[in-house]
Amino acid sequence: MTSTEAREKAVLAAVRERREVVNEAIPEELPVQKPERLYEASRYLLDAGGKRLRPTILLTTAEALADVEPLSEPYRAFPTLEERGYGRTNDTAHVPETIDVMDAAVSVEVIQSFTLIHDDIMDDDDLRRGVPAVHKAYDLETAILAGDTLYSKAFEIMLETGAPSSRTVEALEVLATTCTKICEGQALDVTFEERDDVTPEEYLEMVEQKTAVLYAAAACLPAILLGADDETVDALYGYGLDIGRAFQIHDDVLDLTVPSEKLGKQRGSDLVENKQTLITVHARDQGVDVESLVDTDDVEAVTEAEIDEAVAELEAAGSIEYANEMARDLVEQGKDRLEVLPENEAHELLAELADYLIERSY
Amino acid sequence: MTSTEAREKAVLAAVRERREVVNEAIPEELPVQKPERLYEASRYLLDAGGKRLRPTILLTTAEALADVEPLSEPYRAFPTLEERGYGRTNDTAHVPETIDVMDAAVSVEVIQSFTLIHDDIMDDDDLRRGVPAVHKAYDLETAILAGDTLYSKAFEIMLETGAPSSRTVEALEVLATTCTKICEGQALDVTFEERDDVTPEEYLEMVEQKTAVLYAAAACLPAILLGADDETVDALYGYGLDIGRAFQIHDDVLDLTVPSEKLGKQRGSDLVENKQTLITVHARDQGVDVESLVDTDDVEAVTEAEIDEAVAELEAAGSIEYANEMARDLVEQGKDRLEVLPENEAHELLAELADYLIERSY
């Protein structure tokens, strides 16, 4: 086993441990109640799986901030920074000893699930996480309504952490502006499909809004709720933006380089569907005729040979290496921002999680 | 002019005056910004009109609570109850002199608009407020996304009133649970279409969730934000639930009794589409074969004579009078709950608004 493999194995174990506790918390926060069909549809994708990367980052950030051993404190009654002697305020009169950071973690995962349900309708995608998309498993009406229900439930859950009001207000501001930006990013992505002059800066801005803001929210929310200072909140937000953008760029690379069987969908489908990625934006800049790389616009009809040829051309233009380098730079920048945190095991894990996001092969 | 007509005219003037200031505030809170198409679609229905009944109730309740002359205080800098000498707390140290109740009013209208956009997709309705539904004027993707954007914007706007954190948290709790209940009510309504044993109690519960909770939120939010006591908040919430249910029941009666030209759609369309209303639920209880009242299920194909005959049968069963009586009782009950308010002109107007909801002919 190489050292990269060993590290990846350790990170995956850490993710798995947190995923298990998050998976227990989801039905507690979102029980299937009347009307059952609505709540079953709302839970459908959440129950179908997912790595729980955003909740993992949130819970690990809480541990790093409070300077406690990973998995040593119950997430449902997690010590505030005042309690740990790291508080930003001397006035601890109204600050509870513990808050429920699991609520914040579930809230973020619920937002993620809501966006997936509505995105699948918008893209008319049939499959998600190996199961039919919600609008296929149920119907359009139920899928729209399930997404809408998760949306308000995420706010309800975030209101239950037991944090002081001023911190709850700040957390809800982050949640609300994050949701708005996700919508804006999705709308921007749609307009890109009709343009052939998207710049790398524009692409990165879109990815920031569509994908990275939720990582940023996951990283900064425990800082807000536990009572860290503004500098720490901002640094963690920046860490999330950096690794979230790197995550998306790496996803775009995987779409070209990982065999279809392993990817769980046709390799190169972004090219077939003319989706803009950092790779195609760069290639176009280098004079590559991106629209002609793949003739067909039918994912079922494309051949592996066609994809191989297209990827070779993108490699020759340096576009894949450009994307890889950008992702690496963003991860390094993100890791540097972690210096606001105390040196501890959870801090280390957050750095390893950042590396994992661009080293994973699926 | 009869006294009812004179009163209706006065109420309509009061609604119109508030509608004008609400219409000015909407573009301030929701400017068309990048990406323009998304924000244009988000504003489309809001700009197409609407009576602004919920914001009117919210702003008038604020005036009644603060015991000020209608339209005498700026809604953007409205005196808190502490400032007016009616506060629930002696500790006014952290309470600002004024808060922005217009933000709360716009937030509620934005939620209403979001639900209309998504409802029109779910029902595949072509027209709303005399213009094409958003998913017709734009497309399905944009309509889903416009609704989602309004959803988070409503929370963002509610976060800007300048109220103390503890009150803002309470207001956001009301907003989030209201949205969840609207989704639950909508899901319940869908399940009713496949049932023929819905009871009046079940129907009223559905209407409470789908329609009345937003009236309840509109009525109680200024009490929360301005600092009224819990008894007042609860009484105003109850007023909203009562008049909101009455509003919906009256809507169902209008669908049967107002000529199509005036209604802006085919009279009796609820019957044609087999929609459950309090009227059909009652009629079925009386032994009427409701499903056979109208043969066709095509709104285009039904004749006025068929509708006349169906309405006559519902009248003979006492079902229309039953619904009218229920609406009147709810309005009287709602008006009684207003006794927590000081006696003043705004209080009077809230009672007249309640009457208007079941006296209006469109």
Side-chain angles (χ1 to χ4, degrees):
Chain A
M1 199 186 291
T2 67
S3 74
T4 303
E5 281 169 350
R7 210 177 53 194
E8 183 162 325
K9 210 176 154 190
V11 172
L12 285 177
V15 170
R16 194 166 52 239
E17 283 161 344
R18 280 157 192 82
R19 182 170 61 219
E20 275 168 28
V21 283
V22 172
N23 285 350
E24 277 170 36
I26 288 170
E28 289 166 12
E29 298 302 325
L30 267 178
V32 173
Q33 61 195 48
K34 235 186 95 187
E36 278 82 6
R37 189 177 152 86
L38 174 64
Y39 280 95
E40 280 163 14
S42 302
R43 280 271 299 280
Y44 183 76
L45 259 192
L46 283 162
D47 291 351
K51 297 198 195 76
R52 317 293 188 216
L53 288 175
R54 296 159 196 79
T56 294
I57 286 167
L58 191 150
L59 297 171
T60 309
T61 306
E63 291 169 330
L65 284 161
D67 204 12
V68 301
E69 286 285 307
L71 304 169
S72 66
E73 295 288 337
Y75 295 125
R76 291 292 198 186
F78 201 83
T80 55
L81 297 197
E82 283 78 3
E83 197 58 22
R84 294 284 302 157
Y86 295 115
R88 62 174 158 183
T89 160
N90 295 320
D91 166 32
T92 59
H94 299 296
V95 175
E97 287 176 21
T98 65
I99 73 146
D100 187 340
V101 290
M102 182 57 87
D103 278 338
V106 171
S107 175
V108 165
E109 187 70 5
V110 166
I111 289 290
Q112 164 70 0
S113 192
F114 135 66
T115 63
L116 295 180
I117 294 175
H118 281 191
D119 279 1
D120 285 344
I121 300 173
M122 292 188 245
D123 300 340
D124 200 18
D125 282 334
D126 293 351
L127 285 173
R128 169 73 72 174
R129 290 178 177 167
V131 297
V134 177
H135 67 289
K136 298 289 177 185
Y138 293 80
D139 51 64
L140 177 69
E141 294 81 344
T142 307
I144 292 177
L145 219 41
D148 291 346
T149 303
L150 291 175
Y151 211 150
S152 49
K153 277 289 172 188
F155 282 87
E156 286 189 52
I157 296 166
M158 190 65 84
L159 280 157
E160 287 167 4
T161 64
S165 298
S166 59
R167 295 182 192 175
T168 299
V169 165
E170 221 180 305
L172 290 170
E173 272 166 1
V174 168
L175 201 64
T177 55
T178 296
C179 292
T180 302
K181 283 182 192 145
I182 292 172
C183 293
E184 291 175 353
Q186 174 74 12
L188 222 48
D189 198 13
V190 171
T191 67
F192 282 3
E193 281 169 30
E194 287 154 20
R195 284 180 51 191
D196 62 1
D197 59 350
V198 177
T199 65
E201 291 69 31
E202 285 181 306
Y203 176 79
L204 285 171
E205 191 199 338
M206 182 276 285
V207 164
E208 176 177 321
Q209 295 183 337
K210 188 177 161 178
T211 306
V213 287
L214 198 54
Y215 279 91
C220 83
L221 280 165
I224 291 168
L225 294 168
L226 296 174
D229 58 28
D230 289 348
E231 189 201 340
T232 305
V233 172
D234 292 348
L236 288 167
Y237 192 83
Y239 160 80
L241 282 191
D242 289 336
I243 68 168
R245 284 180 292 179
F247 169 88
Q248 184 61 54
I249 293 167
H250 188 62
D251 241 27
D252 298 341
V253 171
L254 292 180
D255 183 72
L256 295 173
T257 55
V258 172
S260 301
E261 315 86 73
K262 204 168 171 189
L263 208 56
K265 59 173 184 174
Q266 175 60 52
R267 180 172 66 106
S269 61
D270 287 350
L271 283 182
V272 179
E273 290 164 359
N274 280 319
K275 279 201 68 178
Q276 304 273 355
T277 66
L278 191 59
I279 301 149
T280 59
V281 167
H282 176 271
R284 193 177 288 113
D285 246 17
Q286 301 299 307
V288 176
D289 184 359
V290 172
E291 278 65 36
S292 309
L293 278 175
V294 174
D295 277 340
T296 177
D297 56 0
D298 179 2
V299 178
E300 312 269 307
V302 76
T303 65
E304 287 294 319
E306 266 184 296
I307 301 288
D308 282 340
E309 211 171 303
V311 170
E313 202 165 333
L314 292 169
E315 258 168 2
S319 304
I320 293 180
E321 185 44 32
Y322 171 79
N324 279 332
E325 205 170 309
M326 179 74 82
R328 275 196 301 272
D329 286 351
L330 284 166
V331 161
E332 288 310 314
Q333 182 172 297
K335 281 154 70 179
D336 285 348
R337 295 189 202 273
L338 294 177
E339 67 187 15
V340 292
L341 294 172
E343 286 297 333
N344 54 38
E345 215 183 307
H347 177 160
E348 198 56 39
L349 183 53
L350 287 173
E352 287 164 0
L353 276 163
D355 287 327
Y356 165 71
L357 291 183
I358 58 166
E359 282 165 8
R360 70 202 158 89
S361 52
Y362 66 94
Chain B
M1 200 186 290
T2 67
S3 73
T4 303
E5 281 170 348
R7 209 178 52 196
E8 183 164 324
K9 211 176 152 188
V11 172
L12 285 177
V15 171
R16 194 165 52 239
E17 284 161 342
R18 280 158 192 80
R19 182 170 63 219
E20 275 167 29
V21 283
V22 171
N23 285 350
E24 276 169 37
I26 287 171
E28 290 167 9
E29 298 303 324
L30 267 178
V32 174
Q33 60 195 50
K34 239 186 91 185
E36 278 83 7
R37 189 178 153 87
L38 174 65
Y39 281 95
E40 280 164 13
S42 302
R43 280 271 299 280
Y44 184 77
L45 259 191
L46 283 162
D47 291 351
K51 296 196 194 77
R52 316 291 188 217
L53 288 175
R54 297 159 195 82
T56 293
I57 286 167
L58 191 150
L59 297 171
T60 309
T61 306
E63 291 169 330
L65 285 161
D67 203 12
V68 300
E69 285 286 306
L71 304 171
S72 67
E73 295 287 337
Y75 295 124
R76 292 289 198 187
F78 201 83
T80 55
L81 298 197
E82 283 79 1
E83 196 59 21
R84 293 284 301 158
Y86 295 116
R88 59 175 158 181
T89 161
N90 295 320
D91 165 30
T92 59
H94 299 296
V95 175
E97 287 177 20
T98 65
I99 73 145
D100 187 340
V101 291
M102 181 56 86
D103 278 337
V106 171
S107 175
V108 165
E109 187 71 4
V110 166
I111 289 290
Q112 164 70 2
S113 192
F114 135 67
T115 64
L116 295 179
I117 293 175
H118 281 192
D119 278 2
D120 286 343
I121 300 173
M122 293 188 244
D123 300 340
D124 200 18
D125 282 335
D126 293 350
L127 284 174
R128 170 73 71 175
R129 290 179 178 166
V131 296
V134 177
H135 67 289
K136 298 289 178 187
Y138 292 80
D139 51 66
L140 177 68
E141 294 82 344
T142 306
I144 291 176
L145 218 42
D148 291 346
T149 303
L150 290 175
Y151 211 149
S152 50
K153 277 288 171 188
F155 282 86
E156 286 189 51
I157 296 166
M158 191 65 85
L159 280 157
E160 287 167 3
T161 65
S165 298
S166 59
R167 295 182 191 174
T168 298
V169 165
E170 220 180 304
L172 290 171
E173 272 166 3
V174 168
L175 201 63
T177 55
T178 297
C179 292
T180 302
K181 281 181 192 147
I182 292 172
C183 293
E184 291 175 354
Q186 174 74 12
L188 222 49
D189 197 13
V190 171
T191 66
F192 282 6
E193 280 170 30
E194 287 153 20
R195 285 180 50 191
D196 61 1
D197 59 350
V198 177
T199 65
E201 291 69 30
E202 286 181 304
Y203 176 79
L204 285 171
E205 191 198 339
M206 182 276 286
V207 164
E208 177 177 320
Q209 295 183 337
K210 189 179 160 177
T211 306
V213 286
L214 198 55
Y215 279 92
C220 82
L221 280 165
I224 292 168
L225 294 167
L226 295 173
D229 58 27
D230 289 348
E231 189 202 341
T232 305
V233 172
D234 291 348
L236 288 168
Y237 192 85
Y239 160 79
L241 282 190
D242 289 336
I243 68 168
R245 284 180 291 180
F247 170 88
Q248 184 61 55
I249 293 167
H250 188 62
D251 241 26
D252 297 341
V253 172
L254 292 181
D255 183 73
L256 295 173
T257 55
V258 172
S260 301
E261 317 85 71
K262 205 169 170 188
L263 208 55
K265 58 173 186 175
Q266 174 59 52
R267 180 171 66 106
S269 60
D270 287 349
L271 283 182
V272 179
E273 290 164 1
N274 280 319
K275 280 202 68 176
Q276 304 273 355
T277 66
L278 191 60
I279 301 148
T280 60
V281 167
H282 176 271
R284 192 177 289 113
D285 244 18
Q286 302 300 306
V288 176
D289 183 359
V290 172
E291 277 66 37
S292 309
L293 278 176
V294 174
D295 277 338
T296 177
D297 56 0
D298 178 1
V299 178
E300 312 269 305
V302 74
T303 64
E304 287 293 318
E306 266 184 296
I307 300 289
D308 281 340
E309 212 171 301
V311 170
E313 202 165 333
L314 293 169
E315 257 168 1
S319 304
I320 293 180
E321 185 44 31
Y322 171 80
N324 279 331
E325 206 170 308
M326 180 74 81
R328 274 196 301 272
D329 286 351
L330 283 166
V331 161
E332 288 311 312
Q333 183 173 296
K335 281 155 68 179
D336 285 347
R337 295 189 202 272
L338 294 177
E339 66 187 15
V340 293
L341 295 172
E343 287 296 335
N344 54 39
E345 214 182 308
H347 177 160
E348 198 57 39
L349 183 54
L350 287 172
E352 286 166 0
L353 276 163
D355 287 327
Y356 164 71
L357 292 183
I358 58 166
E359 283 166 6
R360 70 202 157 90
S361 52
Y362 67 93

